[in-house]
Amino acid sequence: MKFFYSTLLTLCLLALPAYAQSSLAPRYGYEIATWFPDYPNIGAFDFSDTLFFLNDGDTIHMLGVRSGTELKKYGKPADYSANNYATFLTLSPDGNTIWAGYTSDGAEDDRIYSIDVTSGRWELQATFPGNMDLIFWNDSILVSGLNSPSWEAPSAIFILDTTGLNHHRRIIEPGGYSAGMAIDQQNNLYYGTSYAVNPNALYRWDNSMIQLVAEFPDRPVLQVSHGEKLSDLPGGVYDCEVDAGGNVLFNMNLYGGIMSVCKWNGNKGDGHNLDTLATASGEYDWLGSLKSKGDISQVEPGNMVVTYSFGQPLAILTHINTVGVKMEQAPEFLAFPNPTRGIFTIRSATREIMEVKVYTIQGSLVYAKSDFVSGTEIDLSGQSAGSFILQVTDSQGITSKIIQKL
């Protein structure tokens, strides 16, 4: 049932120029900033510490994480239609290869490619109708989706066959609409269901259980009953992620309702065992792929969750220090000009600024000053162009902003 999302995506993108007014809004304790605003038409993305890859459906763009400068473009092979949708973009563990999935409304020519990051060479790895997501698991590659052009085919998780025979083997069958998946450091697998009618839930399948099915083809395919239910869910999941701190993250879309980015709270079983980090309620704020860097439960710069609403730029969600902060929104400090060519000024008309720090987007400290005087200039002229995290501490706590250096 991957086609449900493909069709909805098409409608969203067609309608966005007239109607896209809403954006992802953080809940208390979190902040959101926009990343790469010049690339709003994202179909899939992934990134490393230094490189970011964006797929607009026709071209994969490689950008510098810090500079935002486009370094390379990888255009699709000439024999492949530009009308197919990008479903996933997954960077290999060694960082040398991008794996890209494409599908279409009819699933007539759905493909999975690998692209060499250095040479830009595309290699067709498999055909897979209705593919949705790809992850590296132990020594195998897993793909979620239909593996069928039929709307009635049950969504499942398969071991990808890259021999050219396309004998992709089904190992887990959660059913419903296709969704993204994730693994933790022990290679346990996480998946949130996306049923149209049935109650939805977040599940975890143990690595050893999956290995038995993978090694012995005669064993029954795993169902949701074989997984451990972590939480009931109010809506269907689009994608999930496990960050470096072991936090299980996922985003949910509810047609005609609230879209949200959530974190499993560690409790297991019945009930909504989740914390909401951000929400969107616009008619076309359908959330897409979800990725992370670092540990979202920590406030240090560089820890983040990245997602987007279709037709809008990437959104960076970060955790902020709320010690001593009142529930009502505190007045913001001013940082101008932003963007800047290197020198900018910070002012606060309401509170004394105690400390100012500036970090690169990767979390490296490039400026720090205690007993900061409002109106003092900060000089980043010696830094390369790109995005920086400005962190200001005052009597009410810590507030962060993204500063763009031209």
Side-chain angles (χ1 to χ4, degrees):
M1 296 185 178
K2 171 67 181 70
F3 307 120
F4 173 83
Y5 284 125
S6 297
T7 303
L8 182 60
L9 171 58
T10 303
L11 295 174
C12 287
L13 292 179
L14 288 174
L16 275 167
Y19 298 108
Q21 301 296 325
S22 298
S23 59
L24 203 62
R27 288 292 179 91
Y28 179 70
Y30 294 88
E31 283 191 339
I32 285 180
T34 298
W35 211 356
F36 306 128
D38 294 334
Y39 297 85
N41 296 318
I42 298 165
F45 70 93
D46 203 356
F47 60 98
S48 65
D49 286 341
T50 57
L51 298 175
F52 211 107
F53 300 90
L54 300 169
N55 194 342
D56 61 14
D58 184 49
T59 302
I60 297 173
H61 305 265
M62 182 176 81
L63 297 87
V65 165
R66 181 173 172 181
S67 66
T69 302
E70 186 165 277
L71 305 176
K72 285 185 180 181
K73 291 182 180 181
Y74 307 93
K76 284 197 302 188
D79 66 342
Y80 197 39
S81 169
N83 296 322
N84 291 322
Y85 310 114
T87 51
F88 64 80
L89 204 60
T90 303
L91 194 59
S92 62
D94 61 12
N96 294 328
T97 309
I98 316 162
W99 288 70
Y102 296 89
T103 188
S104 61
D105 288 339
E108 297 174 351
D109 191 13
D110 294 2
R111 304 182 185 182
I112 295 176
Y113 283 96
S114 65
I115 303 99
D116 185 275
V117 170
T118 302
S119 68
R121 182 174 64 88
W122 291 65
E123 183 177 353
L124 179 62
Q125 294 289 348
T127 59
F128 191 113
N131 63 78
M132 176 69 177
D133 193 19
L134 178 149
I135 60 173
F136 292 87
W137 171 78
N138 293 328
D139 295 325
S140 299
I141 297 174
L142 304 184
V143 175
S144 64
L146 301 182
N147 194 28
S148 169
S150 171
W151 280 74
E152 303 305 319
S155 291
I157 297 170
F158 299 79
I159 296 177
L160 185 69
D161 176 17
T162 58
T163 65
L165 298 176
N166 296 308
H167 293 161
H168 315 303
R169 190 152 66 84
R170 187 188 311 262
I171 58 172
I172 304 176
E173 188 177 295
Y177 301 127
S178 303
M181 52 191 167
I183 57 171
D184 60 20
Q185 293 183 350
Q186 292 74 43
N187 283 323
N188 302 312
L189 189 141
Y190 297 79
Y191 186 95
T193 61
S194 186
Y195 302 131
V197 179
N198 298 335
N200 290 295
L202 178 68
Y203 292 93
R204 175 173 59 199
W205 286 269
D206 185 81
N207 175 52
S208 59
M209 182 184 297
I210 304 172
Q211 282 184 320
L212 287 175
V213 178
E215 294 174 7
F216 300 100
D218 58 332
R219 293 185 68 91
V221 174
L222 297 174
Q223 308 291 324
V224 292
S225 59
H226 299 107
E228 184 176 26
K229 186 169 80 168
L230 304 181
S231 176
D232 291 313
L233 302 176
V237 169
Y238 189 93
D239 198 7
C240 60
E241 169 80 344
V242 179
D243 72 10
N247 298 295
V248 182
L249 307 155
F250 52 96
N251 55 14
M252 295 182 291
N253 292 312
L254 183 61
Y255 191 68
I258 299 294
M259 324 303 171
S260 57
V261 178
C262 300
K263 178 169 70 74
W264 176 49
N265 67 13
N267 298 319
K268 294 183 288 187
D270 297 338
H272 291 165
N273 304 318
L274 56 90
D275 297 323
T276 301
L277 311 186
T279 59
S281 57
E283 186 176 0
Y284 301 101
D285 281 334
W286 203 260
L287 299 178
S289 300
L290 186 74
K291 307 282 185 180
S292 68
K293 180 179 182 294
D295 182 348
I296 189 59
S297 67
Q298 303 300 314
V299 299
E300 288 79 7
N303 298 319
M304 64 183 75
V305 176
V306 184
T307 189
Y308 64 96
S309 294
F310 289 126
Q312 298 180 19
L314 290 169
I316 307 173
L317 179 68
T318 56
H319 189 49
I320 59 173
N321 191 337
T322 57
V323 176
V325 177
K326 298 179 181 179
M327 288 299 292
E328 63 267 24
Q329 180 65 42
E332 292 188 356
F333 61 85
L334 298 177
F336 59 92
N338 185 22
T340 175
R341 296 194 177 278
I343 297 176
F344 65 96
T345 301
I346 299 176
R347 292 188 184 278
S348 176
T350 59
R351 296 194 298 262
E352 179 183 358
I353 297 175
M354 299 163 59
E355 185 178 47
V356 171
K357 293 182 179 179
V358 180
Y359 298 85
T360 66
I361 203 71
Q362 298 98 327
S364 298
L365 181 66
V366 296
Y367 176 92
K369 184 172 179 57
S370 300
D371 300 322
F372 191 87
V373 176
S374 181
T376 300
E377 291 184 340
I378 296 177
D379 190 353
L380 297 182
S381 300
Q383 300 293 324
S384 302
S387 299
F388 294 81
I389 301 171
L390 172 63
Q391 189 180 85
V392 174
T393 302
D394 59 23
S395 58
Q396 296 297 305
I398 298 176
T399 306
S400 301
K401 285 183 179 290
I402 295 293
I403 297 293
Q404 189 68 35
K405 182 179 181 295
L406 303 175

